[in-house]
Amino acid sequence: MPETPAAAARQILIRLQEVMASRTSAQAKLNKVVEIIGESLSSEVCSIYLVREGVLELFATRGLKQEAVHVTRMAMGEGLVGLIATNVETLNLDEAASHPDFAYRPETGEELFHSFAGVPIVRRERALGVLCVQHADPRRYEEVEIEALQTVAMVMSELIANAELADDSPTDLRVTDTGTTLLHGLPLVMGMARGHVVFHQPRVHIEHTVAEDTEAERQRVISAFTKMREQIDRMTGAAEFGMEGEHQEVLETYKMFAYDEGWTRRINEAIDSGLTAEAAIERVQQRTRMRMRQIDDPLLSDRMHDLEDLANRLLRIVSGQLGTAAQMGLRQDAILIARNLGPAELLEYDRRRLKGVILEEGSLTAHVTIVARAMGVPVLGRVRDIRHQVNEGDLILMDVTANALLIRPTSDMDEAFDNKLHVTQKRRAEFAAMRDLPSVTADGQRVELMVNAGLREDAQALDMVGADGIGLFRTEFQFLVSATLPQREKQQRLYKDVLDAAGDRPVIFRTVDIGGDKALPYMQREDDEHEDNPAMGWRAIRLALDRDGLMKAQARALLEASAGKILHVMFPMVSEPWEYEQARALVEHQRAWLQSRKKKLPIAIRYGAMLEVPALAEVLDILLPQVDFLSIGTNDLTQFLFAADRAHPKLAERYDWLSLAILRFLDRVAKNCAAYQVPVGVCGEMGGRTLEAMALIGLGIRRLSITPASVGPVKAMIRAIDAAELQTLMRQLLDSGERDMRGRLTQWAAERNIELGA
């Protein structure tokens, strides 16, 4: 084998070009292709399977029994070949039979061979077939060999598609169904929207894969990179988009990818192997997609999406197919449809016309979600195959809060949606009128209503909704959207800006809750192990105490930012009192260090802990005398109490926040805190739902930290209830072991005309 992947692939492509230019049949060409690849990789077996009528058929082979050709068939997902085609992924095994998906086919004679490597033959993001090699001796194929196979597979896709040998994705994807369809997804940015379908972009179809002049192709890519970077530089200008703070950091991270030398190098290596500029970009992009499918960490996956977004942009520039819906302009109120979007692409759209976004992929931590939230554009993600269920111009009604998507609604549905939208706007107006009124119950009991935040701009919500402060500022957000560890000065600037925006209202800073499922690539160590249960793993205070340099820098940033003010700081995921004591001592040590250097300091520090781990409830008698306040994180607490992953679709709705077990647990914590005169609040999603918030008030909890959108409905509920009467009811229900807490509380509210809807 040649020393480099490019040289290996180039050697094969030179021979393949002669085969493809010959006037023989497509079958003869494929027979010759497997011979060339087998010889070049010194592999006893090389086989090509193609998708025909939805089944994978052995189409050509060198090394397996020839009588198996056009006889051996496997369903998609069946065997190693079916797995590669279904998942559009690469496999490289030194012992094929040991893989759980291995399926033995006696007619092929493959029992003689141990090693196996296979790559998908991809066209228009789906597999046309599989190219695989096998060897008698158990060995993993070298990376140089795998990359050569992937390059050859890309060139073969052109031959196979042109000869119409395999099932190909139809060029006309127009949906013939004109009926109403209801779809669901993953709510990413809440809100309601009405508009007509606009597809973000047509796919760029690559017609020519083999280069005639590699140097000319390289120059085309260099020119395209220059043009793309100019576009990104313009788009990341804060003045042009009026965005600062963390949103700007998102775009700066995106810009970092645009200038990534490793990405440029990989594309140039693909050109060296003999591919055209378009094919080289697509070749690297295919590899990125395969890596994305293997990444469990959603944050790393989101960063890979940014890279794919840039690859699409580069591909459109180099091919001259520049038209996106944004560049052509929106002519009416639009709902944008895309597989995924990058943050910069979203910013290209006219905000007056863009009413909503629907994605086939997407996540809560994706950069596009952050930017869409800043723009006030509702987003529904994870809507499977949405691009193939709608036509350009179809009317869509989006209600992200209800996780409902109505495609081609009837006139009655449209009218009902408009009525709900009108009611929602009317209720918002009522909440806005209530903004400056105190959150006091009908019998005069004060309930603090605070908001959860994580960005500099979130502090503006305090005035918009009339909140009492920020009950949870997630400091890790700055770490998650940064390409490198944020410098202490940058952290300090963020904290000071938030405190200044809050004015006299308190801001409770939670120290970084990273690790586990919120892993940061720039903090990974070689000895870090894969975690099967990241939510219960090495994260939050556990990670911070282990890597105390991170926490020391954050403590100094918080202390200096709070100079002349009261600093409220709390530590996440405390399991035992010693963890809290160690974390507090670390902050105090930093305070002493700053004081010794005559630095300005906070006038006071209020320390708190988050109760998310049930074990902490058993040692509150030790912890409470040491803390100034306690916050209950009901999201993690619930999944730990029930041993149920809150992200699991089959379990998400199974365990009710108003179950007797949860409410009795919270009641016990509230009583303990009252005995020690320690303020206790709830800063989980539970407090943002009006019925659940009502139950919490009935347990004696008087501080809720919720999303800004929840403040209005929760305040309206608070001002309508008699807290003393509610507490009596809750005591009766808890003592009696009431099974239908939700029903009884709903009935109690209805009898008193207390509105519980948003």
Side-chain angles (χ1 to χ4, degrees):
M1 278 294 298
E3 292 184 357
T4 67
R10 183 73 176 161
Q11 183 186 71
I12 297 173
L13 286 190
I14 290 171
R15 298 180 65 186
L16 286 186
Q17 276 183 287
E18 298 174 5
V19 173
M20 293 171 69
S22 67
R23 295 189 177 185
T24 56
S25 68
Q27 179 68 62
K29 289 178 180 178
L30 291 183
N31 292 341
K32 188 63 178 174
V33 165
V34 293
E35 291 293 337
I36 292 171
I37 297 171
E39 290 173 12
S40 299
L41 299 186
S42 301
S43 212
E44 284 114 331
V45 175
C46 178
S47 304
I48 296 171
Y49 292 79
L50 299 183
V51 179
R52 292 170 66 83
E53 298 180 355
V55 178
L56 284 153
E57 179 182 314
L58 178 60
F59 220 85
T61 186
R62 156 198 158 110
L64 298 183
K65 293 180 179 179
Q66 288 299 315
E67 52 264 37
V69 174
H70 301 304
V71 173
T72 296
R73 290 181 173 86
M74 282 179 282
M76 296 293 283
E78 181 186 2
L80 301 179
V81 171
L83 186 68
I84 292 169
T86 300
N87 295 343
V88 195
E89 67 179 12
T90 296
L91 279 183
N92 185 5
L93 307 169
D94 53 7
E95 189 59 71
S98 64
H99 193 282
D101 288 290
F102 177 77
Y104 172 60
R105 291 303 177 90
E107 72 272 13
T108 64
E110 62 183 340
E111 69 272 11
L112 301 173
F113 307 102
H114 291 269
S115 61
F116 174 93
V119 300
I121 303 169
V122 181
R123 183 174 173 83
R124 297 174 187 166
E125 299 183 34
R126 59 184 295 276
L128 294 180
V130 174
L131 170 64
C132 56
V133 289
Q134 294 171 268
H135 201 275
D137 296 330
R139 74 175 180 94
R140 284 179 67 85
Y141 283 84
E142 298 292 333
E143 186 69 16
V144 58
E145 297 171 300
I146 297 296
E147 293 204 7
L149 282 175
Q150 290 171 329
T151 300
V152 170
M154 164 160 268
V155 175
M156 283 177 55
S157 70
E158 183 180 343
L159 166 65
I160 292 163
N162 290 340
E164 299 182 349
L165 295 177
D167 298 346
D168 198 2
S169 54
T171 54
D172 181 11
L173 294 177
R174 181 164 181 82
V175 179
T176 55
D177 181 13
T178 57
T180 299
T181 304
L182 174 64
L183 298 176
H184 307 285
L186 174 69
L188 298 178
V189 180
M190 297 302 174
M192 296 177 69
R194 181 184 188 279
H196 296 272
V197 168
V198 170
F199 289 104
H200 170 56
Q201 66 179 49
R203 278 290 297 166
V204 174
H205 297 304
I206 299 170
E207 301 303 329
H208 301 291
T209 54
V210 180
E212 295 181 3
D213 182 344
T214 55
E215 191 53 41
E217 299 300 320
R218 192 185 325 282
Q219 290 305 315
R220 291 177 65 214
V221 164
I222 291 171
S223 175
F225 261 107
T226 301
K227 190 169 184 177
M228 181 194 70
R229 287 165 177 168
E230 288 173 355
Q231 289 180 2
I232 301 303
D233 287 343
R234 287 196 301 270
M235 294 168 67
T236 52
E240 183 175 350
F241 297 106
M243 305 181 78
E244 299 177 350
E246 307 313 313
H247 308 303
Q248 182 64 20
E249 286 190 27
V250 166
L251 297 178
E252 288 298 333
T253 303
Y254 183 83
K255 181 178 177 179
M256 177 195 73
F257 280 115
Y259 283 86
D260 179 54
E261 292 301 325
W263 183 39
T264 311
R265 185 186 68 252
R266 287 189 293 274
I267 292 174
N268 275 312
E269 287 173 352
I271 289 174
D272 287 340
S273 72
L275 296 178
T276 61
E278 290 90 342
I281 296 165
E282 177 66 16
R283 163 75 180 76
V284 174
Q285 194 173 7
Q286 284 181 11
R287 189 172 177 82
T288 300
R289 290 193 197 106
M290 291 178 195
R291 289 180 62 194
M292 283 167 61
R293 291 187 179 93
Q294 298 165 357
I295 292 175
D296 293 328
D297 188 314
L299 294 164
L300 288 178
S301 179
D302 291 336
R303 289 190 168 93
M304 297 296 278
H305 281 310
D306 284 350
L307 189 55
E308 174 147 344
D309 171 40
L310 285 164
N312 286 334
R313 182 180 293 273
L314 189 65
L315 194 55
R316 291 198 300 273
I317 292 171
V318 82
S319 66
Q321 300 178 42
L322 298 175
T324 66
Q327 291 158 337
M328 291 184 283
L330 302 178
R331 294 184 295 277
Q332 58 185 334
D333 288 352
I335 302 292
L336 191 66
I337 307 291
R339 185 169 64 84
N340 215 317
L341 275 176
E345 288 198 316
L346 182 63
L347 285 169
E348 288 182 317
Y349 283 91
D350 181 350
R351 300 185 208 181
R352 296 167 299 177
R353 294 290 195 189
L354 183 63
K355 299 302 178 183
V357 175
I358 303 169
L359 303 174
E360 286 190 353
E361 298 177 359
S363 75
L364 287 164
T365 53
H367 287 167
V368 69
T369 305
I370 298 168
V371 174
R373 190 177 293 118
M375 293 170 66
V377 176
V379 182
L380 189 66
R382 309 275 177 89
V383 184
R384 292 189 61 186
D385 212 29
I386 180 63
R387 291 179 297 167
H388 300 154
Q389 298 194 54
V390 293
N391 292 312
E392 189 93 16
D394 279 349
L395 178 63
I396 285 189
L397 306 179
M398 283 180 72
D399 188 347
V400 181
T401 306
N403 189 9
L405 197 66
L406 269 173
I407 302 169
R408 299 175 292 272
T410 64
S411 57
D412 289 344
M413 293 173 179
D414 197 7
E415 184 179 349
F417 182 86
D418 281 341
N419 290 338
K420 182 177 180 181
L421 185 59
H422 176 72
V423 170
T424 302
Q425 291 169 342
K426 183 180 177 182
R427 288 282 286 163
R428 285 178 182 166
E430 292 172 358
F431 298 150
M434 202 185 296
R435 183 187 64 187
D436 298 325
L437 297 177
S439 52
V440 176
T441 64
D443 58 337
Q445 296 197 37
R446 180 81 163 88
V447 180
E448 281 186 276
L449 277 186
M450 309 179 84
V451 296
N452 299 330
L455 298 169
R456 182 183 278 104
E457 290 75 10
D458 290 345
Q460 298 169 4
L462 291 174
D463 292 324
M464 291 168 57
V465 300
D468 296 313
I470 296 176
L472 168 63
F473 190 89
R474 299 181 175 96
T475 59
E476 65 270 10
F477 212 89
Q478 186 182 29
F479 292 75
L480 298 178
V481 301
S482 296
T484 57
L485 187 70
Q487 295 179 339
R488 179 175 53 80
E489 293 79 7
K490 203 169 188 179
Q491 294 181 52
Q492 180 181 334
R493 197 158 55 244
L494 168 63
Y495 305 149
K496 186 177 186 307
D497 288 347
V498 172
L499 285 165
D500 289 344
D504 296 331
R505 290 163 295 196
V507 178
I508 299 176
F509 292 98
R510 182 178 72 183
T511 56
V512 285
D513 182 0
I514 53 176
D517 60 348
K518 290 186 279 189
L520 305 179
Y522 52 79
M523 285 191 63
Q524 296 297 297
R525 298 188 306 202
E526 290 185 6
D527 59 344
D528 287 351
E529 297 182 3
H530 170 74
E531 298 190 66
D532 292 327
N533 297 295
M536 295 186 288
W538 188 63
R539 55 169 279 212
I541 198 168
R542 300 167 180 175
L543 181 151
L545 292 177
D546 188 34
R547 296 192 178 178
D548 61 1
L550 170 69
M551 196 167 179
K552 286 176 182 177
Q554 184 174 40
R556 276 188 59 189
L558 285 167
L559 289 163
E560 293 193 75
S562 306
K565 299 185 178 183
I566 297 176
L567 170 61
H568 297 79
V569 59
M570 66 178 175
F571 307 111
M573 207 178 176
V574 176
S575 303
E576 296 192 79
W578 69 262
E579 292 174 321
Y580 166 81
E581 293 161 7
Q582 193 172 332
R584 176 176 174 152
L586 187 149
V587 178
E588 284 295 318
H589 183 270
Q590 293 303 305
R591 175 160 70 164
W593 187 87
L594 289 170
Q595 192 171 28
S596 69
R597 282 155 179 76
K598 309 298 183 187
K599 298 283 188 179
K600 291 183 179 179
L601 295 170
I603 56 176
I605 304 179
R606 303 279 185 264
Y607 289 100
M610 287 197 72
L611 195 158
E612 302 163 277
V613 181
L616 190 62
E618 301 301 323
V619 287
L620 286 178
D621 59 317
I622 301 172
L623 177 72
L624 289 175
Q626 304 181 65
V627 300
D628 297 301
F629 63 93
L630 189 75
S631 287
I632 303 172
T634 51
N635 294 356
D636 270 334
L637 177 63
T638 304
Q639 70 173 344
F640 295 152
L641 270 176
F642 285 119
D645 182 358
R646 63 185 178 181
H648 195 296
K650 292 184 179 179
L651 300 176
E653 301 299 328
R654 186 165 182 171
Y655 298 104
D656 192 349
W657 270 316
L658 294 183
S659 71
L660 188 63
I662 288 284
L663 293 176
R664 281 185 172 178
F665 183 94
L666 296 175
D667 181 55
R668 185 157 58 95
V669 172
K671 284 179 178 176
N672 271 302
C673 290
Y676 284 91
Q677 297 185 320
V678 172
V680 59
V682 165
C683 57
E685 188 181 342
M686 181 180 180
R689 302 187 178 192
T690 47
L691 187 63
E692 284 83 345
M694 191 177 82
L696 291 171
I697 294 168
L699 296 177
I701 290 171
R702 295 293 180 266
R703 189 182 77 236
L704 303 174
S705 187
I706 56 185
T707 63
S710 300
V711 171
V714 171
K715 182 185 283 191
M717 176 273 295
I718 289 170
R719 291 179 60 82
I721 63 171
D722 183 306
E725 183 187 355
L726 178 59
Q727 284 184 265
T728 301
L729 172 69
M730 285 297 295
R731 177 54 44 214
Q732 293 171 353
L733 296 177
L734 292 177
D735 291 345
S736 68
E738 173 64 47
R739 295 183 67 176
D740 186 15
M741 286 283 189
R742 185 171 293 278
R744 288 295 304 276
L745 287 169
T746 302
Q747 180 186 355
W748 183 86
E751 290 170 353
R752 286 153 184 79
N753 296 317
I754 299 167
E755 290 196 43
L756 297 175

